[in-house]
Amino acid sequence: MVAGERADRTSTDHQLPELRIMRHHLLIFAILTGTLAAKAQWVTGGMFSTVVHFQACAFHDLDTGLFVYGANNPGPSSSATEGGIIRTDNAAIGGGFYIWYEPSMNLEDIDVKLVDGRPLYLAVGHELYGRSVVVRPYDFPANPLALDSIRTGNGRYYRAVRMRNDLVAFAAGGNGLGDGIIDMSVDSGRTWANTSVLSGQVVSRLHFVNDQLAFAATGGYRRLINNGLMLPDSGAIYRSSDGGLNWQQVHASTVTGFSDVEFLDASVGVATRNDGTIIRTVDGGDTWSPATVAMTGDFVLTGVAFRADGLGFATGYRPDGTEGLILSSSDAGASWGFNFSTAALNSARRLYDVYFHDVAHGYAPGQMRPLRTNGIVTDVPEQDVNGMSSSRTRPPMCSR
């Protein structure tokens, strides 16, 4: 929301109740009759680096959040460079600050929960796909953004992390044998124990609908050095009904794998496949069928999320790097259409995930810089504030 919109909304708070009700009804009528377009407005965020791939983010309030990243060459490679975490205090409008980074590292996912008003962040990744890593606060709750790393084993790597509401945490990924692994922590990420091994199915993302019902997507795309792309030839969706302790396969593909899974409620959910297909369930994962995707050409889907108001968004990109893509759905994931393209930008040609802090604040992490949105298109254009920096700058990442 820009300053002009804030001032307009503040002024209406003192109007008569009847007028506010009338305006509310007119807005609903405009939406129902199609006179007001409800398409998300995406602009480039202020954080920028020519060698950084922003891969996921999480926010604990409207302005403050963390982005995890890996560099151009995520390994295994002798030229692999660093991965880390960048903090923004202004909703990614004008830059950020490195708060943790290490060489030969690739961080791929992050999650946050509020504990007595303080954020508990957990991020996961790996050292060149050969050692699994968790980044967590070392002095929580006194210093929630003072972070340190924990290695949880050799010959394995993490790609996903999620916490239940009771703060029991799960990190997932794969091992050197090509199997999926799911580890659990009951002490806010200090120690980890393996709970599940999924034969031949490396986990790409986790999603908890509630503290008992959870889903895992497996076989997702893998980012290689120099913007290469590896697409597995199979994948599956797994479900847990006991809070992540045990997992059962509920759907499988012999074509390619799944990059993400997201549920609108306990019954309706979707999963994104590497080849641009989106599948949907309306019975809690028992059965799945293809959703309608109105996009042409080859593209890889990388992430999916539902806003609290029910609108769905999915991210992806063209394999040749010509554009990053955002798709949207207004019918609970039954059909998906074009929402945004980065073809006109000189960055963010590959989008890796989508995240909404609330219905009006969303982010699409990508190559070189993230995108951000403040909700729906209005007659007041959103202002884009850009800053630039190389990944060698310590700190800040870019001008604010």
Side-chain angles (χ1 to χ4, degrees):
M1 182 183 299
V2 297
E5 292 175 293
R6 287 196 194 96
D8 180 68
R9 180 168 297 179
T10 301
S11 66
T12 64
D13 291 341
H14 303 289
Q15 295 175 350
L16 293 175
E18 293 84 356
L19 180 57
R20 290 201 302 269
I21 293 172
M22 182 181 298
R23 289 177 57 135
H24 177 68
H25 286 169
L26 287 173
L27 177 61
I28 293 175
F29 176 78
I31 293 173
L32 292 177
T33 57
T35 58
L36 178 64
K39 296 184 67 176
Q41 180 184 24
W42 298 90
V43 297
T44 52
M47 294 184 289
F48 176 79
S49 171
T50 58
V51 296
V52 161
H53 293 244
F54 299 91
Q55 299 191 158
C57 68
F59 279 67
H60 67 269
D61 62 35
L62 291 182
D63 294 319
T64 310
L66 304 183
F67 286 80
V68 295
Y69 72 91
N72 280 340
N73 296 317
S77 167
S78 59
S79 63
T81 48
E82 73 183 33
I85 300 177
I86 298 164
R87 171 180 173 176
T88 177
D89 292 327
N90 60 8
I93 295 174
F97 300 86
Y98 289 87
I99 63 173
W100 186 92
Y101 54 91
E102 285 189 2
S104 301
M105 183 67 59
N106 187 21
L107 293 186
E108 299 209 33
D109 199 14
I110 189 168
D111 194 23
V112 64
K113 294 290 185 183
L114 287 177
V115 183
D116 296 328
R118 293 180 177 270
L120 173 61
Y121 282 95
L122 292 182
V124 298
H126 49 85
E127 292 177 341
L128 308 184
Y129 290 98
R131 197 177 188 190
S132 47
V133 176
V134 175
V135 182
R136 64 175 301 276
Y138 64 80
D139 187 24
F140 188 83
N143 298 294
L145 297 181
L147 306 177
D148 197 6
S149 59
I150 298 170
R151 273 62 175 171
T152 65
N154 295 320
R156 63 208 311 272
Y157 55 94
Y158 289 143
R159 299 199 63 189
V161 62
R162 285 296 180 269
M163 286 179 277
R164 299 189 322 210
N165 291 322
D166 60 3
L167 304 184
V168 174
F170 293 84
N175 59 28
L177 300 176
D179 298 326
I181 57 172
I182 300 179
D183 296 348
M184 182 175 72
S185 172
V186 297
D187 54 9
S188 302
R190 291 184 181 88
T191 59
W192 296 81
N194 180 253
T195 61
S196 300
V197 175
L198 310 180
S199 179
Q201 295 295 329
V202 173
V203 178
S204 45
R205 279 292 187 259
L206 294 171
H207 174 66
F208 275 79
V209 183
N210 51 53
D211 280 354
Q212 292 300 309
L213 181 61
F215 291 84
T218 72
Y221 75 98
R222 178 164 152 177
R223 190 168 64 83
L224 303 176
I225 63 173
N226 299 323
N227 296 320
L229 185 65
M230 185 179 77
L231 301 177
D233 59 6
S234 66
I237 304 298
Y238 287 79
R239 179 177 60 194
S240 173
S241 300
D242 58 4
L245 300 181
N246 296 281
W247 299 81
Q248 297 80 38
Q249 187 180 114
V250 293
H251 181 80
S253 169
T254 58
V255 176
T256 189
F258 296 93
S259 54
D260 203 358
V261 59
E262 174 89 355
F263 272 67
L264 181 60
D265 53 40
S267 299
V268 178
V270 297
T272 51
R273 212 166 70 180
N274 296 333
D275 60 358
T277 298
I278 298 179
I279 61 171
R280 181 174 184 258
T281 179
V282 295
D283 54 16
D286 288 339
T287 60
W288 298 77
S289 59
T292 300
V293 180
M295 289 289 295
T296 59
D298 293 334
F299 59 96
V300 178
L301 287 175
T302 58
V304 64
F306 283 109
R307 293 194 326 197
D309 61 0
L311 291 181
F313 293 84
T315 50
Y317 62 91
R318 304 289 184 186
D320 61 4
T322 55
E323 63 177 335
L325 295 168
I326 298 179
L327 285 64
S328 62
S329 171
S330 59
D331 55 7
S335 60
W336 298 78
F338 173 82
N339 181 255
F340 188 80
S341 168
T342 67
L345 306 177
N346 61 359
S347 61
R349 294 300 182 89
R350 295 168 173 84
L351 298 177
Y352 301 119
D353 199 12
V354 58
Y355 169 86
F356 282 89
H357 176 70
D358 57 24
V359 296
H361 297 83
Y363 303 88
Q367 180 191 18
M368 295 188 184
R369 70 196 315 159
L371 303 180
R372 51 181 293 273
T373 183
N374 276 2
I376 64 173
V377 173
T378 69
D379 56 349
V380 181
E382 184 175 288
Q383 299 299 310
D384 179 24
V385 181
N386 293 324
M388 298 184 65
S389 169
S390 160
S391 71
R392 300 292 107 189
T393 305
R394 297 291 186 270
M397 183 175 189
C398 49
S399 58
R400 301 188 62 191

